């Protein structure tokens, strides 16, 4: 295997580009949710550039694997992933949150190709992903459905309603990934309405649960690309991540949930993101 | 009739008035509690939390639970102020608001923050422009939309003392103080900001001061507009609306909300049934494109010029 076709190297390169580009978008718009973008980017780069089957020229291809960004505020991560995946040209990113832009603050499937459903209010993505997975189960289709939620987002009861049915139906084609950065908007999840032990909870709901370092691309790739056939259960991956990952002054700081950089912070972040 | 109200210099974020008032009230009444959904910062309740840590209930990102908890706290003898971004407080929890608050009739104060299009660029999921239409049929809930910091503080105080469900629809959009002489907060009553006989502009919340500015533009063209600040949307001051229809013959409503089912809807329902006159409704037609608050206000005519234009249209339609 050479460096050029080593999937881990490729994913890491894409993730670096996504972080730099997302931060440039947030800096320009002076709006966005960079902390949650950065915690999710390695997971998303792994999915889009190492795991999922899709064709950007046919966004409605029936057999495509589906990705649902339930933590819809992390559009910096989603829009850069879809751009790098070839769904639209890079110059579209320049319009992030400008008047009438297709790159709204939260994703809209009627605006952009590659977006499976509109999100923004937390706790919506998992039930929709469940429906997509059930459709695949009914029709015997081979596609997989991946949904990414925040960890704070897990406080929404709709997730647990979806978990119950997903476990009940033994939906092995469904993968829930939880971005376990341990922070929500205002403070830590465990200081708000604690989630631990999250793995036991999902096990009790009938999931196969894996805990992984959400920035370890090789480990993520191994877990996500393994065939779900015969598992007989939905998969829950608890990705232990760092909010603001990659920029020293942003890491683990709740204030960077929707904090935006000034010129100096932007320059410093660009120096670090190499 | 009081002299025409002018707007004072300077803009204020009404959330500061809300936050200061709720802390004062809580200091004097141990029954007052706050309930939030990971929204301490956006509700400006950091001070409340510091002073009354035991009386702040943060249920996490779980709005349906939050509103149900409000009902339960009321059952347990508390006076809960349930504060969250109004889009989620009303939209996500609508059935809890209907069944647990309005129908069950609990003494809960719902405080909708950052309402209207305050979250401009975040898009339609985060805009709260449907809340008026959702809550208006719930006649048990008093809906108040303060126009400035003073009215916000008064409404919070009134809500605390009132036995029954209230929805306070607040904004984080800075607004000027309305200068009204000898001002008294009268829930359920329209406040006349300017006397006039040619046309009536009815507004509330962040739009009241803009309607007032529109009346200045109209005055410069010799059109004498009455301006009503309709802070209470539920129950509507029907007397004031019908008097406006009768005495001025043309009405413009203006609100930071959908033109369907809100203030404009209420005024149109009432006048068409009892005193039909042209009613021009200024507001938003439906889901909105991405854009800043300023851009959206301009695009949809929530400006002095936009409202004045619609006033002239209503006058034309009335055949006066
Ligand atoms: C239903 C709903 N309630 C509240 C919000 C406001 N909100 C946006 S992001 C956020 C925190 C999310 O935390 P988490 O799920 O942990 O995401 P991350 O830390 O990965 O960004 C909140 C409360 C929302 N978008 N939707």
């Amino acid at each position: 295997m050479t460096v050029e076709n080593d999937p881990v190297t490729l994913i890491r390169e894409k993730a670096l580009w996504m972080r730099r580009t997302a931060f440039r978008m947030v800096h320009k718009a002076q709006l966005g949710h960079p902390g949650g973008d950065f915690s999710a980017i390695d997971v998303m780069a792994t999915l889009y550039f190492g795991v999922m089957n899709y064709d950007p020229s046919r966004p409605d291809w029936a057999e495509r694997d589906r990705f649902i960004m339930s933590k819809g505020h992390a559009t910096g991560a989603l829009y850069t992933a879809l751009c790098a995946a070839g769904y639209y040209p890079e110059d579209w990113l320049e319009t992030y949150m400008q008047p009438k832009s297709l790159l709204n603050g939260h994703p809209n499937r009627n605006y952009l190709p590659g977006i499976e459903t509109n999100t923004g209010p937390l706790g919506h993505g998992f039930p929709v992903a469940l429906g997509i997975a059930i459709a695949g189960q009914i029709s015997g289709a081979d596609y997989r459905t991946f949904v990414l939620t925040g960890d704070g987002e897990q406080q929404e009861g709709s997730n647990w309603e979806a978990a119950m049915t997903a476990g009940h139906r033994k939906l092995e084609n469904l993968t829930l990934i939880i971005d376990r950065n341990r922070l929500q908007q205002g403070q830590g999840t465990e200081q708000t309405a604690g989630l631990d032990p999250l793995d036991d909870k999902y096990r009790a709901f009938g999931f196969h649960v894996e805990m992984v370092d959400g920035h370890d691309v090789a480990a993520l790739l191994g877990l996500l690309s393994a065939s779900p056939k015969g598992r007989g259960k939905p998969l829950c991956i608890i990705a232990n991540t760092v909010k603001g990952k990659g920029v020293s002054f942003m890491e683990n700081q709740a204030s960077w949930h929707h904090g935006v950089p000034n010129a100096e912070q932007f320059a410093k972040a660009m120096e670090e993101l190499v | 009739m009081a002299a025409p109200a002018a707007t004072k210099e300077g803009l204020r974020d009404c959330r500061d008035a809300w936050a200061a008032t709720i802390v004062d009230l809580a200091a004097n009444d141990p029954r007052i509690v706050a309930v939030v959904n990971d929204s301490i910062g956006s509700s400006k309740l950091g001070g409340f939390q510091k002073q009354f840590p035991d009386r702040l209930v943060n249920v996490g990102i779980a709005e349906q639970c939050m509103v149900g908890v409000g009902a339960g706290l009321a059952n347990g003898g508390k006076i809960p102020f349930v504060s969250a971004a109004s889009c989620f407080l009303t939209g996500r929890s609508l059935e809890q608001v209907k069944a647990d608050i309005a129908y069950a009739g609990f003494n809960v104060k719902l405080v909708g923050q950052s309402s209207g299009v305050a979250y401009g660029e975040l898009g339609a999921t985060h805009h709260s422009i449907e809340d008026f239409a959702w809550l208006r049929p719930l006649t048990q809930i008093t809906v108040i939309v303060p126009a400035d910091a003073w009215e916000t503080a008064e409404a919070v105080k009134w809500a605390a003392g009132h036995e029954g469900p209230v929805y306070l629809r607040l904004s984080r959009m800075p607004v000027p103080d309305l200068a009204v002489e000898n001002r008294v907060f009268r829930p359920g009553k329209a406040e006349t900001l300017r006397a006039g006989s040619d046309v009536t502009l009815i507004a509330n919340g962040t739009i009241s001061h803009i309607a007032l500015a529109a009346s200045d533009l109209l005055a410069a063209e010799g059109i004498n507009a009455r301006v009503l600040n309709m802070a209470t949307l539920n129950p509507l001051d029907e007397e004031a609306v019908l008097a406006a229809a009768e005495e001025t013959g043309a009405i413009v409503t203006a609100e930071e909300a959908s033109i369907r089912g809100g203030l404009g809807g209420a005024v149109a329902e009432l006048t068409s049934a009892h005193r039909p006159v042209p009613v021009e409704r200024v507001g938003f037609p439906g889901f909105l494109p991405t854009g800043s608050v300023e851009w959206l206000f301009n695009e949809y005519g929530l400006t002095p010029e936009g409202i004045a234009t619609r006033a002239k249209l209503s006058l034309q339609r009335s055949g006066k």
Side-chain angles (χ1 to χ4, degrees), chain A residues 33-37 39-40 71-74 106 120-124 149-156 179-187 189 195 241 243 257-258, chain B residues 37-39 42 60-63 84-85 87-89 92 119 122 125-126:
Chain A
H33 292 85
D37 287 338
S39 63
K71 41 173 273 186
H73 54 283
H106 294 88
L122 297 165
H124 283 239
T149 76
D151 51 359
E153 182 178 6
Q154 287 290 321
Q155 289 157 350
E156 290 286 3
D179 184 351
R180 188 75 175 108
N181 59 34
R182 307 194 80 83
L183 288 175
Q184 48 193 96
Q185 183 167 268
Q187 55 190 347
T189 57
L195 301 168
T241 55
K243 205 158 175 171
H257 173 72
H258 48 58
Chain B
N37 64 331
D38 191 15
S39 51
S42 52
I61 310 168
E63 294 74 18
C87 56
F88 308 129
L89 174 64
R92 186 52 157 276
Y119 287 129
L122 299 188
T125 54
H126 283 56

Side-chain angles (χ1 to χ4, degrees), chain A residues 72-137:
Chain A
H73 54 283
T75 39
L78 181 63
Y79 292 159
T80 52
L82 293 174
C83 177
Y87 282 98
Y88 42 78
E90 223 176 299
D91 57 359
W92 288 24
L93 299 176
E94 296 299 319
T95 70
Y96 188 45
M97 292 201 237
Q98 299 302 308
K100 291 190 173 173
S101 172
L102 301 177
L103 283 78
N104 186 59
H106 294 88
N108 184 325
R109 67 190 283 265
N110 305 301
Y111 291 175
L112 290 174
I115 292 171
E116 301 289 350
T117 189
N118 296 17
T119 50
L122 297 165
H124 283 239
F126 189 5
V128 175
L130 172 66
I132 296 170
I134 293 173
Q137 189 182 48

Side-chain angles (χ1 to χ4, degrees), chain B residues 140 160 189 229 286:
Chain B
Q140 295 77 2
K189 292 285 170 221
N229 173 32

Side-chain angles (χ1 to χ4, degrees), chain A residues 42-63:
Chain A
D42 296 310
V43 167
M44 294 183 58
T46 305
L47 283 169
Y48 275 95
F49 309 107
V51 178
M52 288 189 352
N53 251 325
Y54 58 90
D55 177 355
S57 69
R58 287 183 298 156
D60 54 0
W61 174 40
E63 286 300 310

Side-chain angles (χ1 to χ4, degrees), chain A residues 204-226:
Chain A
F205 275 72
F207 280 63
H208 177 78
V209 179
E210 295 280 358
M211 308 257 247
V212 63
D213 173 346
H215 305 298
D216 180 342
V217 168
L220 284 168
L221 188 61
L223 285 178
L224 287 163
S225 56

Side-chain angles (χ1 to χ4, degrees), chain B residues 54-300:
Chain B
D54 300 342
R55 288 200 263 154
L56 182 101
V57 182
N58 185 357
V59 298
I61 310 168
E63 294 74 18
Q64 300 176 61
C65 174
M66 172 181 69
V67 172
V69 164
L73 285 163
N75 174 300
K78 306 295 180 197
I79 302 176
F81 279 74
V82 178
S83 173
S86 61
C87 56
F88 308 129
L89 174 64
T90 60
R92 186 52 157 276
S93 319
L94 187 53
E95 189 170 284
Q96 277 77 13
V97 171
K98 173 184 164 182
D100 308 347
I101 308 296
Y103 189 47
F106 278 113
N107 186 27
V108 173
K109 319 304 164 185
L110 303 167
V111 187
Q113 305 283 355
S114 304
S115 61
V117 297
Y119 287 129
E121 296 89 342
L122 299 188
T125 54
H126 283 56
H127 297 160
S128 183
I129 62 174
E130 303 88 359
D131 51 345
F132 289 165
W134 288 339
L135 296 207
R136 267 192 56 231
L138 306 177
T139 53
Q140 295 77 2
I141 302 182
T142 305
V143 176
I144 301 183
V145 194
D148 64 4
W150 177 86
E151 198 167 45
T152 302
E154 291 299 310
V156 173
K157 282 186 257 177
W158 177 81
H162 170 74
E163 178 70 33
V166 178
Y167 174 51
L168 297 175
R169 199 227 208 199
L170 307 185
S171 180
R172 58 171 198 169
M173 292 282 299
V175 287
D177 295 341
L178 296 174
V180 182
E181 272 175 43
N182 306 319
R183 205 167 177 198
V184 186
F185 178 70
R186 293 189 305 157
K189 292 285 170 221
E191 179 179 49
T192 304
L193 299 181
R194 182 175 203 141
S197 53
D198 293 336
V199 56
T200 302
L201 315 181
I202 308 178
N204 59 21
T206 53
I207 310 302
S208 288
H209 76 94
I210 300 175
L212 200 51
S215 73
D216 287 339
L217 297 180
L218 291 165
E221 296 187 42
I223 299 168
N224 202 348
R226 177 179 305 182
V227 183
L228 300 181
N229 173 32
M230 194 66 81
T232 307
L233 179 63
N234 243 9
L236 186 70
D237 184 349
E238 300 192 343
E239 206 181 318
V241 173
L242 291 176
E246 183 69 35
E247 293 160 18
T248 71
I251 294 178
V252 179
T253 60
E255 59 199 306
E256 193 184 339
S258 169
I259 54 169
R260 295 178 169 81
L263 176 61
V267 167
E269 279 171 19
L270 181 72
T271 54
S272 65
H274 298 290
R275 186 67 180 83
V277 291
V279 176
E280 287 290 319
R281 292 165 302 145
V282 185
F284 301 113
F287 294 140
L288 303 175
T290 308
S292 66
V293 179
E294 296 70 27
W295 184 84
L296 289 165
F297 272 34
N298 269 313
E299 187 76 3
Y300 293 94

